[in-house]
Amino acid sequence: MTGCTDPTILNLWFAIGAEQETTPCIVSDTVLLEEDLSFTLDRVGQPLVWRRDARWPAGSVIDTSDVSVTLPVKQAYGYIWTCLGQPSADIFPIEEYDEPDRRNLNAASIGVNVSGPRAIENFLDMGHFPYVHTDILGVQPHTEVKEYDVEISESRDEIVATRCRFFQPMASTASTGGADVEYVYRVPHPYCSVLYKSSGQNPQRMDVIALFLQPVNQERVRAHMLLSMLDEANDERVMRRFQQTIFGQDKPILENQYPKKLPLDPRAETPIRADKSAVAYRRWLSSKGVTYGVIPAAN
Amino acid sequence: MGNTMLEAAQHQWHPIASSEELEYRHTFHGQLLGREFAVWRADDGNVNVWENRCLHRGVRLSIGINDGTELTCQYHGWRYANRTAGCTYIPAHPADSPARTICNRTYPAVERYGLVWSGEAPQGDPPGVALLDGTDVLSLRPIPVNADLETVHRQLTAYVFQPNEGLDGAKAAVSVETSGDLSIGLSSVSGDCKTQAVFFLQPVDSDRTVIRGVLAGMPAHKAQLDVLHHHNERLSALRERCEAEASQLPQPEKLQPVIQPVSEELAGMPEQSTSGRNADLRVKIARKWSTAEGIAGFELVSIDGQLPTFQPGAHIDVHLPNGLVRQYSVTNGPGETQSYKIGVKREPDSAGGSQCLHDDVREGDVLAISEPRNNFPLRRDAVKTLLIAGGIGVTPILSMAQALYHTGLDFELHYFAQDDSHLAFPDILETLGDSLHTHLGLDPEETEQCLEGLLADYQPAMHLYVCGPGPMLETTRHTADRLGWPDQAVHFEYFKNTHEIDDSTSFEIALSRSVMTLQVPAGTTIMDVLRDNGVSVPSSCEQGACGTCVATVLEGEPDHQDVYLSETEKKRGDRIMTCVSRSKSARLVLDI
């Protein structure tokens, strides 16, 4: 096995499964950065993650105290996170998650045959709304991506795109008609992004949708989605189905991108002004020296 | 496949599809030597073989939409033209014409023996096959085999089949007639019956080969299906033998096609072009005809290679034998990339431009023209588009109308002319259906009344495009303004600038990027001063009508004398036409 040798990526925290979908003391298997892992929750709901061991196959009942060698773990935003290298102290903050009137839920964990960075770019992209999410997040002929701002926040080392606006016929389950919807995008982690979108019900505040990518290998991810919504009207099933529909529309496009790894050489693809945030993201990955899931630019 | 053989294969022609696989408005996924192609036939019959990825974000174009004239990428709706593979529209920026030469990589395509032939860099013509020349042919179902070329080749030399007329007859004697690296000609004889067939081998990858069989002679219609079944059975059995054999061999490494990087120019954000008036293209007049009273049509074809991509609203500079340079709009519809069609009105007070084209230039003559330039781009994000044309001003509007019609966008074309005989390009007008409205023989007052009616009901996200004689254009703009059309929804193109240019002022210009300060004396234009000092400036009409020579103003107050910028743009004062406009302030700082 080649495995991941990119130190930047190895030292990151990655979400590997939703707490809600993990049964305590039952073993679940997964793959992170080409390493076979197992995980579960103990009796009091504390997660533990270990390198896969034939003694505890997936689905078996386990006494968690038997597992002596475990990987670092954290619980955040409804997911179990782990790290294969030397983890940083904290996972990036999403302050809104703790607001008492929000409904937080994991919308889905979906496998996609594409690199993580390609999936992040898709998440940051508005220009595809009328074509890929026709009649939901966009509709022809309203195809314009208006000017927006992108910067790399110095204090937090993350990309922030603001003043993003796009015409949407039905922006969420709470919308009834078309409107210009405002977005803010953050990329606080090479494999995670958070978007804020004006809420149909409360114009002063924003719904939050976060994407946590679990790289299975360089060309395959599991995409975990967190919703932190101000929607009081719809039940969780409807909200989940909405996001799953959106993601299901992106998946075949993502899986038809060639190459699957994100090329960081500026001459690999042709950017336009609407791709400002993607251009910033590619530069940011280059400046961090990321090599996993990308084709680094030849120097 | 060995390296030398691979090298050789890159310079050969290969079948990559059968003609039948290119169904009406389908996009076919072709493969050769590890490389993928998007293969599609336009409605005019042309077969396009393109690199299978959109230059923007790498999405396969084989999942794109073939509308018969252009291929649209599924991800962001970028449109690429038939033949040129040039990008004609980027929906995320509807107000811009794709300024850069965004062009996908194309490969040659030739149809022969019911197959589409292409290759990475094939030399000469596709191979002629004597067995198949001068006869009808029947192409068999392509058989993909998970085995390398050599294995399939070896098995095929031992392929046994019955002649078309003797499918049930005694076991046929099959002999090898021809054998090359990439094809095998076989002949099958049973009693009096004989059928010859050629099997072409398409190396899809190092471990995968497609057999494309072609039979010489077309069996009777009733027997066709039986013949196809016969070969399907035999070839399927052959496939199993090949795959069994190949599975015993070490797995060859997959071929890694080299994807060319995009040009330096495309890698960053767009820059303005810096060339002056150019005349890079040589075209021949393939056809000259009278398209309406006093209006001649000219069809211009390239004398060496493919004409560049145009967009609706684009014009070309035509360099005339008498030394004059004139601008004419391209009237073509989407995907019509074999020629440019322009319309030229004979101007009674011609300075020699239209007269020269009408009287002196003939079919077969060669002219120098510029690449198409688009300063009158068509937005396609309007909920409804109004196109208004007066007289010969219909030419850019025709290209727009065809683009809108073809993509099913809501629009109306209102064409003002003296009478029926003055309606230019009736062949195009005919194709526009109910969207075309003609207004004939109206005097200026009636025209104004008519425009009032047309412009009465402005709604957000409507756009108006108008081209015609100066007075009609002014009336349209004023009427639109009065009826609440915002400036940015009104787009216009003047034929010429009829305003008298006041060039009596003198002032200083500072070039921020070139770090130069220059004096513009009375009687000289900014453009002249720039060029005299070695700064190249793109230009076309050089009279303030076309917009090509625009420059960004960083400081100072421009004295606008052009007819290109709208009132709002003029008031904003951040752009200037360097061919005619000047400065009200003593100093003007330009972003050049």
Side-chain angles (χ1 to χ4, degrees), chain A residues 1 15 19 34 37 39 55 63 84 117 127 176 185 193 227 232 235 245 281-282 290:
Chain A
M1 187 188 290
E19 284 171 44
E34 298 161 53
L37 306 180
F39 66 97
R55 285 175 289 171
D63 179 347
L84 298 180
T176 49
Y185 291 94
S193 184
L227 303 182
E232 286 165 16
D235 77 24
T245 302
Y281 175 60
R282 290 185 188 196
V290 169

Side-chain angles (χ1 to χ4, degrees), chain A residues 118 121-122 125 127-128 131 141 143-145 253 256-258 266-267 269-275 278 282, chain B residues 53 55-60 74-78 90-93 96 100 261-262 264 266-267 379-382:
Chain A
R118 284 275 194 204
E121 273 202 4
N122 168 259
D125 184 274
H128 73 288
Y131 294 92
T143 56
E144 182 165 25
V145 176
I253 298 289
N256 273 294
Q257 276 182 294
Y258 182 90
R267 286 185 59 187
E269 291 173 354
T270 309
I272 54 170
R273 292 198 309 284
D275 301 320
R282 290 185 188 196
Chain B
R53 56 190 295 272
L55 287 181
H56 178 217
R57 299 284 99 157
V59 169
R60 286 194 173 91
Q74 287 267 29
Y75 198 2
H76 296 95
W78 288 27
I90 296 177
H93 299 309
D96 301 1
R100 300 167 293 167
V262 298
E264 204 74 66
L266 296 186
R379 295 181 72 114
R380 305 190 202 179
D381 64 339

Side-chain angles (χ1 to χ4, degrees), chain A residues 167-242:
Chain A
F167 181 90
Q168 293 192 345
M170 181 181 113
S172 75
T173 44
S175 349
T176 49
D180 246 359
V181 172
E182 193 174 337
Y183 286 85
V184 170
Y185 291 94
R186 287 172 58 200
V187 188
H189 175 301
Y191 277 71
C192 297
S193 184
V194 186
L195 82 77
Y196 300 76
K197 145 179 206 176
S198 45
S199 161
Q201 303 199 335
N202 188 341
Q204 306 306 312
R205 297 172 65 197
M206 291 179 121
D207 285 329
V208 179
I209 301 170
L211 180 70
F212 309 136
L213 298 175
Q214 170 191 351
V216 172
N217 59 41
Q218 297 210 59
E219 301 192 342
R220 181 171 170 78
V221 291
R222 291 180 75 222
H224 304 287
M225 266 193 298
L226 160 76
L227 303 182
S228 183
M229 312 293 271
L230 298 158
D231 181 344
E232 286 165 16
N234 286 290
D235 77 24
E236 294 196 353
R237 239 178 35 159
V238 175
M239 287 157 69
R240 276 205 181 92
R241 187 176 298 157
F242 181 82

